[in-house]
Amino acid sequence: MTSTNEKTANEPGTGVQHSFPSVFSLENKIALITGGGSGIGLDMARCMIMAGAQVVITGRREAVLQEAKASLGEKAFYFVNDVTDLHGLEGLVQDVETQVGPIDILVNNAGINMKKPALEVTDEEFSRILQTNLHSVFSLTRACARNMVKRQSGSIIMISSMAAYYGLDRVVAYGSSKSGIEGMVRLLASEFSKFNVRVNAIAPGFIETNMMKTAMSSDPNRMAKALGRTPIGHFGKPEDIGWAAVFLASEAAKFITGISMPVDGGNSTGF
Ligand code: NDP
């Protein structure tokens, strides 16, 4: 971002000077993005670095994280971590804060999908999806929020889904986990707001990543249906979610908490 585009203005009623676009800047912030080695998480890391942040990405595959770090540059760090190892999450937060610095922004992005008729979903499969997409999100959020609450500052972003907005067939476990996220955002926002810690979700529409390709490639009817109800007329790119995350994490969103923001080309409202 160049300073030539910057304009300053008094915040109405306060006389406090803000500059545009610095209210959107993440300069001097540290973001922890789970599942940041690929797909939406990787582009979110790229967008946050462009906005000035240092970014820590996590995931289970070290080779993927190494490659991601090489493409992101010196403001990126990685830690190999499986979010389903709940007992390891306090240690992850401690390691990041000791080796990189205090976490200002947490993005709970890591997630897995499973497309299967509900009657065929086993208890083990249902638990596995809930453990990755919901329980680990709570445990990591609790570990990060302890320090954010002490510092009286923080922004937590969850990644929801259209599967929590309307009835999609064959994703009962995934949709249940994301519906849990929607509730968790409101519940945690009500507890953490008084400590200046904001909690919000982004609900992506259909975004071109490996996850979406796996779910859609063998199912052209589903793909046509998803596109048919997306008024913008094409699928989203990971960076579309990345820029929304930059906004929600920035000072520009300082009065926004407890929401789920669709970034979906109109999919959630389309016919
Ligand atoms: P990808 O499959 O491309 O990325 C998922 C990432 O999560 C990978 O980097 C993976 O890394 C990581 N991950 C998975 N399981 C774990 C785990 N147990 N511990 C740590 N990291 C893990 O998917 P997307 O980028 O598409 O998805 C990102 C998020 O966006 C997910 O929460 C998904 O539900 C959500 N979403 C995506 C949509 C889309 O259309 N693409 C739509 C709506 C929501 P590794 O395998 O190395 O651990």
Side-chain angles (χ1 to χ4, degrees), residues 25 45 73 148 158 163 168 203:
S25 164
M148 289 175 170
M158 319 285 196
L168 260 172

Side-chain angles (χ1 to χ4, degrees), residues 65-159:
L65 294 169
Q66 265 170 351
E67 198 179 317
K69 194 247 165 313
S71 82
L72 291 169
E74 61 187 19
K75 293 185 92 171
F77 305 83
Y78 76 80
F79 287 74
V80 178
N81 178 264
D82 182 339
V83 291
T84 63
D85 174 15
L86 302 182
H87 298 297
L89 295 176
E90 297 271 357
L92 171 70
V93 171
Q94 227 168 50
D95 289 348
V96 171
E97 298 219 332
T98 310
Q99 293 173 42
V100 185
I103 298 164
D104 302 290
I105 301 157
L106 167 66
V107 186
N108 286 299
N109 165 76
I112 51 171
N113 195 1
M114 184 188 61
K115 207 172 97 205
K116 211 172 181 190
L119 297 183
E120 293 171 19
V121 174
T122 67
D123 289 329
E124 288 71 26
E125 287 167 336
F126 193 86
S127 289
R128 188 172 62 89
I129 303 283
L130 269 282
Q131 176 89 348
T132 305
N133 295 0
L134 186 63
H135 197 156
S136 71
V137 169
F138 170 67
S139 300
L140 182 59
T141 298
R142 183 183 55 198
C144 282
R146 276 204 183 101
N147 297 342
M148 289 175 170
V149 161
K150 272 189 216 134
R151 293 191 287 265
Q152 301 268 303
S153 171
S155 172
I156 297 166
I157 298 171
M158 319 285 196
I159 306 297

Side-chain angles (χ1 to χ4, degrees), residues 35 38 40 60-61 81-83 109 160 174 178 205 207 209:
S38 67
I40 289 173
R60 293 164 299 180
R61 293 166 298 164
N81 178 264
D82 182 339
V83 291
N109 165 76
S160 179
Y174 180 78
K178 296 298 187 180
I207 311 295
T209 66

